Amino acid sequence: MRKWIVTFFLLAASMAWAQDDSELRQIYMQAEEEYTIGHFDASIRLLNENIAGFDGALKTSAYRLLSLCYLGKDHVQDAEKYASLLLKEDPYYSTSIHDPLRFADMIERLKRGEEATITTASQQAESIEEAPVPVTLITEEMIKASGARNLKEALLAFVPGMTDIESNEEMNIAMRGIYSSGQEKILIMLNGHRLNSYSTNTSRPDFSISLDKVKQIEVLRGPASSLYGGVALTAVVNIITHTGYEINGAEVKIGVGNYGQVKSSFLFGKQYLDWNIMGWASVYNSSGEKVNVPVEEQMGVLPVPGDIIIGGFNKKPSFDVGLNLGWKDFSLLYNTNFSKTVAPYSMSYFFAPYSYDRYRTFQGNAPGFAKLSHHLNASIEKQWERFQMNAGFILDMENQSRYQIAGDTVPDVGYNMFFPVGTNDTIISTKGAFQYHNWQETTWGGFLKGNYQYNLSENHKGTISAGLQFDRFHLSDSYYVEGDNFDRVLVTYDDKKNLYVGSEISVSAYAQVKHQWKDFLILNAGLRYDYKKRRNNQVIQEYSPRLALILIQPKWNLKFSYAKSFVDAPYFYRNNTLDTTTGGENLLSEYLHSYQLTFVANDWFKDLNFDINCFYNKATDFIVPDGLVYTNAGRLENIGCELSSSYSFRRFKGWFNLTWQYVLSSDKYNVKGHDVYNVPTISSNLILMYEIFRNFNVHTHLNVLSDQTSLYEIPDEQGNMFSEELGIPARAVWDVGIDYKFNRFNVEFNINNLLNKTYEQGGSSIAPIRQRGLWYMLTLSYKFNN
C-alpha cells in the first residue's frame, strides 16, 4: 500500500511539473505572437509577469524577446539591459540569421565591449575587463584569419608570451620562457573539463583537438592554481565549443594538401524545446615532409645517412570525436581523441634519421608518442535568484605509448645492450633497435561548486564563489619492450624499466570573493587548498592564493594582480624504474609566483582596442635533470612586457601582439645571459583580414622572432656531457589564405610558410630540429540548415 501511495504522489508531482512547464512555454509562445504582430507592450507585460518562472533555454529566449521588444519601441537602453542579462545567462550566445541586424550588431558590440564574454577567469560570467588576470580571447573568426590548422598554431598566433618549442616527439609550447620536455605547465580544458593527463600532466595542442567545433578559446595568461589547482602553472586554455542552437544543422568539411595531408570533419547541432545537442568528428592524416640531413650536419653520437620526417601524423590518423548534450539543467560532455606525432629523429643521444616505415607496429601504432584519451563530464546546474550551483561527475581514461627508435644501424658502443634471459645472456643489437613503453590510466571524481551574488547597498555588491573536488587516479597497467631487426621483440619487462602500478587520491577546496565598489573598483581574491595522497602514502599539501585589484573607467581599466601556482611532480617521474627519467618519490612540486600590471583600453581610439601587460615571474623548485636523475633544483626569475591589440574598420580587421622577455637570474635552468635557451627575447605576430567583396576574404599572418640560442648537449667518448651553444638566426614566417562563402558552400585555401623559409627550432631535444617548409591545404565545406 505504501509503495502505491509513493508512486501516486511522484506521478502527481511529475504531472504538475509538466503542466507548469507547458503553461510557461505557452505563455512565452503567446508573447512571441504579440511581438510578431507589433504588440510590444503586451509581449513585455507577459514576459515580465512570468520571468521568475522561466528557466534554462526558455529564460534565455525570454531575455532575447524582451530585448527585441524594446528595440522595436526604440528604447535602446532597455534593450541593452536585457541583452546583457541574456549574455549573463549564456555568455557564449550567438545570433542567428533570423535575428534583426540591429539586435545582432548590439550583441556583438556588447561582447566586444564590457559585457560578459568569458567564464574561465573567475568561474563565473564576466567581461574581459573584469577578469583578475590578463586574458586573450580567440574567436572563430580570428582562427580563420590566422590560417591555424591546430590549437598550437592558434595559440602561438594570438597569445603574447607563448612561443614555439621543439621536443621531437610531441607538440610543445613555452609560456614566458617556462617549458618542460612535454607540454605539462599549461592546463588545457574543453568546456571546463581538464584534458591534461594525470600521469604525465601533459596535453598536446595538436590535431587531436579539432578547431572546427570551436566557438572561442579563452586563455588566462599567468598562474591560475587558485581556481584550477595543479598544472595551471603558467596559463590556462579553455576551449569553448559551439552549441546546437548556433549550428542549427550540419556541416561537412573535406580538405586535401601537399605532403599527404587529408582532413575531414563533421559538425552537427540542433536545439529542440529544452534539448540542445551538438556533436563533432574530425580526422587528420599527414605523410609528412621528408628532408635529407647530410651526415656532416647531424648532431647525434651516431650520424647515418637518411631523411627525417617533419609534420607527420600517420599510420593511425589523428582524430577528435565528441558530443555535447543538454537538457534543462543537465549537461553531458563526451570526447575521445587520438594523436601520434612522427618523431623526426631517433631517440635521445642517437639523434639520427631512421627508416620509419620499416619498423613494426604495436597496437596499430608506428614509432612515435601516441595518446588515446576518453573524457566524460556529466553535471547539473541549478539557478536561483542569487545562487547558482553546479555539481557533476568526471571520468578520464587514457592509453599512452612511447615508441622510440635507437637506429637502423647501431655500432656496438654500449648503448644498445639487451638482456633477453638475464645479465649473463647479453645481446648487442646492431640493426633496427627499438623500445616500446605502454601504460594505461583511469581517473574518476566529482565536483561541487557555486556562486552567490550579494548586494549590500547601491555601492557595494559582488559574488562569493566556492567549490570542492575529489579525484582518484589509478595507473592500472604498464609494460616495456625492447627489440631489434625492426620487428623482433627481445625482452618484455613487467617490473624493471617500467611504471609502478598504483593509485593516488586528490581532494581540493577553493573560495573566492569578487567585490565591487560602485562602478569603478573591483577586488578579486581567492585561495585554494590541494591535498594529495601519493601512491606511497606520502601526503602533499599546497595553498594557492590570488589577489587582484581592478580600476574600471569608461574606456580603460587598470588591474594589478599577484598569484602563486604549483604543479606536482608527475606520477610518471616519481614512479618508474626507467633509466632516463629516474627521480623517485623525493620529487616535489614546482612553484611560480607572478606579479602582473595590466592596462586595457577599449575604443580609446576609434575602433582600436589594446592591452599592455608587464609581469614579474619567480619560478622555483623546477624539476631538472642532473645526469640521469631528476631533482627539484631549477630556478628562474624573469620580467617581460606584452602588447596585444585589435582594430576593425569596415571590411578590414587586424590583430597584433608583441612580447619582450628578460631573465634577471637563474639556477640550473637553461639560460644564457638574460635569455632562456630556445626562447626569443622578442616575438611578434600580425594577422590581417580584408573582405574584398561580400563573403570573399583574404588574410595573412606574419610571425617575427628575434634570434635564439640553443644548447647542443651529448655525452663524449668517456660518457661525460659535452655541451655546445648553437645560434638560431632571427626569422620571419609568412602565411596567407583566402576563403569564400557561396550560399551553403565555403572554400578555404591556406598556405603556410609562403616563402618556404628554412629554419630550425630547439627545445627539449638535444639539438635544434628543422621545421616545415611550404605547406598548403584546400578545404571545401557544405552547410545543411534545418
Side-chain angles (χ1 to χ4, degrees), residues 422-449:
T423 55
N424 296 324
D425 186 14
T426 302
I427 291 180
I428 304 298
S429 177
T430 60
K431 181 180 180 182
F434 61 86
Q435 62 184 34
Y436 176 80
H437 182 208
N438 176 270
W439 66 97
Q440 300 177 32
E441 61 184 86
T442 301
T443 303
W444 64 268
F447 61 87
L448 174 66
K449 55 188 178 182

Side-chain angles (χ1 to χ4, degrees), residues 299-301 348-351 710-714 763-768:
M299 299 292 183
V301 296
S348 188
Y349 302 110
F350 295 105
F351 209 66
S710 189
L711 189 65
Y712 162 51
E713 189 173 20
I714 61 172
S764 56
S765 53
I766 70 164

Side-chain angles (χ1 to χ4, degrees), residues 572-574 576-584 587 628-631:
F572 188 91
Y573 287 5
R574 295 183 280 107
N576 72 69
T577 54
L578 297 170
D579 292 338
T580 57
T581 53
T582 56
L587 289 176
L628 295 179
V629 178
Y630 278 74
T631 61

